[in-house]
Amino acid sequence: MTIDTDQYMQMDRQGIWHPYTRHSAAQAGDFPIITKGEGVYLFDAEGNKYLDAISSWWACNLGHSHPRLVEAIIRQARELQHSILGNLSHPRAIELAEELVGLFPDPRHVLFASDGASAAEAALKIAIQYWHNLGHGERNRFASLEDAYHGDTLGAVSVGYLEGFHLPFKPLLFPAYRGESPYCGRCKHGKEPASCSQECFDSMLAVFDEHADELAAVILEPLCQGAAGMRIYPPEYLRLLDKLCKEKDVLLIVDEIAVGFGRTGKMFAFQHAGIDPDIICLGKSLSGGYLPISATVVKDKIFETFGDQPEDRTFYHGHTFSGNPIASAAALETLRIYERERIVEQAEQKGRLLKDQMAPLSDLPHVVDVRCLGMIGAAELDDEPRWPQQIRERLLGEGILVRPLGNVVYLMPPLITSGDILNRTVEAFCNAVEVCR
Ligand SMILES: Cc1ncc(COP(=O)(O)O)c(C=O)c1O
């Protein structure tokens, strides 16, 4: 598609409020206008090509314009573009729910929505109403991790507060009990992985000791606190939390929105810990990142308390586009591609290359920590605000699109990125980190 870039940039400045973008950056108007995506690449209006090294906000695990996905979307659009799930149903949502439930060990039901925040928000409300249904309205608090991120709606922000993002909304948020962030990169307890005994878990233990009777659920991002700066932590933390939740009868909600669907080298990150959470939030790559769809997958022991006999305990919650047929068709095709192309196995193997290649970065004096898990590779830099931006600009010039999180620069490329391209990308990334100082 050809457009007049200057004219579009001007129209952009006049009309678009860009999410998570400073006005100064939007006004400077120096970001590319993307007109095409193909495989692992995005192309701008000037014909420049960029490797999508953040998978378009961690969603496009299968890259762009995958022919099978495009075909599935077109096919479904011709047949039925939208119909609701309130007192109606349609084949794609039915098939998708069946496939999703089949990914987990025991019977579950799936509540669809359109974005990640809505999936997290639904999980919180389901947990609250579950206890209400059981006659335990006093179980109406949550525990979560410091520096968590579960989306930008008010409930999700209440359990996922990041000061830099959410300060103005503080007066509106409900209080949540916080466990210390398992921030291995800057361990407050001075431990290294080899000597770590999950000391950071003690604060969560203390929350449970004092407040278990008030807790409806704990919610957390399994193994990687993404928005906080790709803080990767060991599965042992999840195992301890799962055990504690079982002991104290508190629901465990895992937010797999960013890390689900193979990103960590397993289909779901919580599987590294061998646990079986009560509620699982899915989004982003559920449809390969092609169309907005999310899901809250809930164990039947919870679902079954929402009956309407003799009293009405219906979950009065939903969205116009919950389980939209075209988005569901994209999600179904995504799952087929995962199976056919062995996407998760690929991610696991390539993740090892990524890790090996990034390891030498930890010798650089201005690199505080290097952390990798599956197809996530991050480097935390000393607190020098100019470096991440310099790295971003340098890589953009080399045709690689990254988007630092504060002083953390990271790669999270599509899982289909070939070994060769991955190799070259990591090399360019490491060079950029090395010379930024
Ligand atoms: C762990 C996690 N949960 C929830 C969300 C929110 O998803 P969405 O942006 O689709 O609302 C995100 C987004 O980055 C996320 O990383």
Side-chain angles (χ1 to χ4, degrees):
M1 181 195 175
T2 4
I3 57 165
D4 177 335
T5 312
D6 290 340
Q7 185 198 352
Y8 268 73
M9 221 40 240
Q10 199 183 338
M11 285 155 57
D12 175 290
R13 279 195 286 270
Q14 277 161 9
I16 297 192
W17 191 331
H18 288 268
Y20 279 104
T21 304
R22 292 185 178 178
H23 273 13
S24 55
Q27 284 309 319
D30 56 359
F31 33 71
I33 298 182
I34 302 298
T35 50
K36 188 176 136 174
E38 199 176 282
V40 296
Y41 294 108
L42 292 168
F43 297 82
D44 72 13
E46 321 262 76
N48 298 308
K49 172 172 149 182
Y50 307 95
L51 181 108
D52 184 2
I54 54 164
S55 300
S56 292
W57 261 340
W58 319 343
C60 295
N61 284 358
L62 300 179
H64 301 269
S65 306
H66 193 298
R68 300 191 79 103
L69 271 163
V70 173
E71 181 51 39
I73 289 168
I74 294 171
R75 209 182 315 123
Q76 186 57 42
R78 286 210 185 96
E79 202 173 295
L80 172 70
Q81 99 292 351
H82 188 48
S83 173
I84 60 172
L85 292 178
N87 294 76
L88 284 177
S89 200
H90 61 77
R92 296 301 90 78
I94 296 170
E95 291 158 7
L96 179 58
E98 187 193 35
E99 294 264 337
L100 289 176
V101 168
L103 296 173
F104 305 106
D106 40 11
R108 289 163 210 248
H109 277 72
V110 181
L111 184 86
F112 289 112
S114 325
D115 55 77
S118 304
E121 198 81 28
L124 300 175
K125 288 176 68 182
I126 288 167
I128 293 292
Q129 189 172 332
Y130 165 71
W131 288 109
H132 176 89
N133 293 344
L134 294 181
H136 285 290
E138 76 284 0
R139 293 277 203 134
N140 56 23
R141 291 273 170 254
F142 295 97
S144 62
L145 291 179
E146 283 168 354
D147 303 328
Y149 181 75
H150 299 288
D152 284 332
T153 52
L154 287 175
V157 171
S158 295
V159 291
Y161 186 75
L162 286 172
E163 180 106 357
F165 296 170
H166 300 130
L167 184 65
F169 313 108
K170 209 168 181 177
L172 298 183
L173 306 178
F174 58 74
Y177 298 115
R178 301 287 169 163
E180 184 185 317
S181 168
Y183 189 1
C184 306
R186 291 187 191 237
C187 178
K188 280 188 192 163
H189 309 276
K191 295 294 173 104
E192 293 295 326
S195 61
C196 163
S197 312
Q198 313 298 319
E199 285 78 358
C200 54
F201 189 70
D202 289 352
S203 63
M204 190 59 92
L205 262 178
V207 167
F208 272 69
D209 276 350
E210 259 187 77
H211 304 289
D213 295 349
E214 302 161 50
L215 289 180
V218 187
I219 181 168
L220 84 173
E221 298 155 87
L223 295 200
C224 176
Q225 289 194 282
M230 299 299 158
R231 292 185 193 171
I232 292 163
Y233 61 92
E236 187 53 23
Y237 187 99
L238 279 186
R239 275 192 284 272
L240 290 172
L241 183 59
D242 180 61
K243 188 161 166 272
L244 188 60
C245 285
K246 289 204 168 79
E247 274 167 24
K248 303 281 184 179
D249 201 13
V250 171
L251 298 178
L252 177 58
I253 305 171
V254 294
D255 177 348
E256 290 270 351
I257 290 159
V259 289
F261 299 102
R263 177 54 65 184
T264 67
K266 289 204 186 284
M267 189 60 163
F268 298 108
F270 74 78
Q271 291 170 333
H272 288 271
I275 60 167
D276 182 21
D278 299 298
I279 303 181
I280 301 155
C281 305
L282 306 173
K284 294 195 188 264
S285 198
L286 168 56
S287 66
Y290 278 57
L291 286 172
I293 182 165
S294 62
T296 308
V297 185
V298 181
K299 276 191 179 170
D300 273 3
K301 73 161 189 188
I302 301 169
F303 171 78
E304 277 156 10
T305 68
F306 284 73
D308 60 334
Q309 302 290 339
E311 275 171 53
D312 184 8
R313 299 194 171 111
T314 304
F315 190 43
Y316 289 107
H317 175 108
H319 302 277
T320 310
F321 293 109
S322 297
N324 167 268
I326 309 178
S328 299
L332 274 168
E333 192 58 33
T334 295
L335 291 174
R336 288 187 195 120
I337 294 170
Y338 265 71
E339 213 178 310
R340 194 176 303 119
E341 299 182 15
R342 304 172 64 83
I343 297 293
V344 180
E345 290 89 330
Q346 279 196 53
E348 200 263 331
Q349 286 160 12
K350 287 183 230 159
R352 275 189 262 136
L353 299 180
L354 177 74
K355 186 173 181 178
D356 289 348
Q357 222 181 328
M358 277 185 62
L361 282 181
S362 55
D363 295 333
L364 297 175
H366 61 296
V367 174
V368 177
D369 186 41
V370 178
R371 37 194 187 247
C372 297
L373 176 67
M375 285 283 272
I376 307 171
E380 179 165 346
L381 310 175
D382 260 344
D383 294 315
E384 161 52 63
R386 282 173 305 136
W387 293 340
Q389 200 48 27
Q390 280 171 17
I391 292 170
R392 179 184 189 277
E393 277 162 25
R394 182 187 163 105
L395 287 175
L396 201 60
E398 294 181 27
I400 298 169
L401 199 73
V402 297
R403 200 167 185 279
L405 293 160
N407 60 336
V408 176
V409 283
Y410 69 94
L411 291 173
M412 213 158 150
L415 305 185
I416 56 156
T417 310
S418 72
D420 244 19
I421 294 175
L422 183 66
N423 211 288
R424 276 185 271 133
T425 307
V426 184
E427 196 180 319
F429 178 85
C430 291
N431 285 340
V433 170
E434 188 169 353
V435 301
C436 73
R437 191 159 171 258

